[in-house]
Amino acid sequence: MTPEQAARQVLEKTNLSTPVDVYLIAQMYDVSIQEREMEDAISGMLAITDGRAIIVVNKDHAPRRQRFTIAHELGHFFLHRNSTNVFIDVSPIYFRNRLSSEGTNLREQEANRFAAELLMPAHLLREKVHHKPIDAMDDDAVSCLADEFQVSVQSLTIRLTNLNLISLH
Ligand SMILES: [Zn+2]
């Protein structure tokens, strides 16, 4: 199963409205979420002890960034919980860390793909833009969409680019 398929499977169990409620999804799977003071460089972590999963998120980060972190950690929970018990994510998690091993890189990429599909489901995004790429220069359209999905403009732009839903003139 691809990370996107895993995310869609989870989404199918929700009412699928925007913004996607990552807190509710965590609750559905008995994953607790805690906000804690952490170094600014750390976005969050997933820890599994005695079968109990906890996501810890940096309390000083902006809500949209926290949502992405939670979605990313849920990705580790659904995709990788059998491989290790603790995942710690340094920010920004969107970019590949050249120092980490290949295996780690792969898991991070998979968690990001899961998070992107969970927070910005491809078919919902296509519907919202009426199957027409939006103009990259149209800041209002991009930020309006980011508000609707409660994601950062940066992660939405990456997502739109990957889905060929943004046009550069
Ligand atoms: Zn990660």
Side-chain angles (χ1 to χ4, degrees):
M1 201 190 305
T2 66
E4 288 81 8
Q5 287 169 334
R8 280 194 287 274
Q9 211 171 63
V10 171
L11 285 169
E12 276 164 18
K13 298 194 171 72
T14 72
N15 65 356
L16 243 188
S17 56
T18 53
V20 171
D21 191 343
V22 286
Y23 292 88
L24 181 68
I25 291 169
Q27 201 179 41
M28 281 163 56
Y29 291 90
D30 267 329
V31 177
S32 50
I33 296 175
Q34 288 177 9
E35 283 189 18
R36 266 194 228 158
E37 243 170 78
M38 296 192 271
E39 273 178 64
D40 189 56
I42 299 176
S43 300
M45 58 181 279
L46 168 72
I48 301 164
T49 34
D50 303 328
R52 299 270 310 141
I54 300 175
I55 289 172
V56 182
V57 64
N58 193 319
K59 85 185 255 289
D60 296 318
H61 287 176
R64 293 182 192 196
R65 188 161 163 198
Q66 292 180 332
R67 282 169 51 77
F68 193 92
T69 301
I70 291 166
H72 175 101
E73 303 304 342
L74 284 172
H76 285 312
F77 174 76
F78 286 109
L79 304 167
H80 310 131
R81 67 181 156 203
N82 295 324
S83 56
T84 169
N85 287 326
V86 183
F87 298 87
I88 299 172
D89 286 295
V90 217
S91 61
I93 48 187
Y94 318 98
F95 305 110
R96 193 182 302 192
N97 176 0
R98 238 187 288 161
L99 295 173
S100 55
S101 72
E102 284 301 306
T104 307
N105 268 340
L106 181 66
R107 286 202 292 263
E108 293 317 315
Q109 286 167 29
E110 287 176 344
N112 281 344
R113 284 169 56 191
F114 178 94
E117 176 66 19
L118 194 77
L119 293 172
M120 300 164 276
H123 76 282
L124 269 186
L125 263 186
R126 288 201 181 94
E127 259 172 43
K128 301 286 178 190
V129 302
H130 309 290
H131 304 271
K132 275 198 313 243
I134 52 176
D135 188 341
M137 295 297 124
D138 189 346
D139 290 342
D140 284 349
V142 176
S143 78
C144 197
L145 208 51
D147 287 347
E148 183 171 355
F149 285 83
Q150 283 293 297
V151 292
S152 70
V153 166
Q154 185 198 22
S155 51
L156 177 66
T157 306
I158 294 172
R159 181 68 171 155
L160 291 171
T161 307
N162 289 339
L163 294 171
N164 291 318
L165 287 177
I166 203 153
S167 63
L168 302 152
H169 297 272

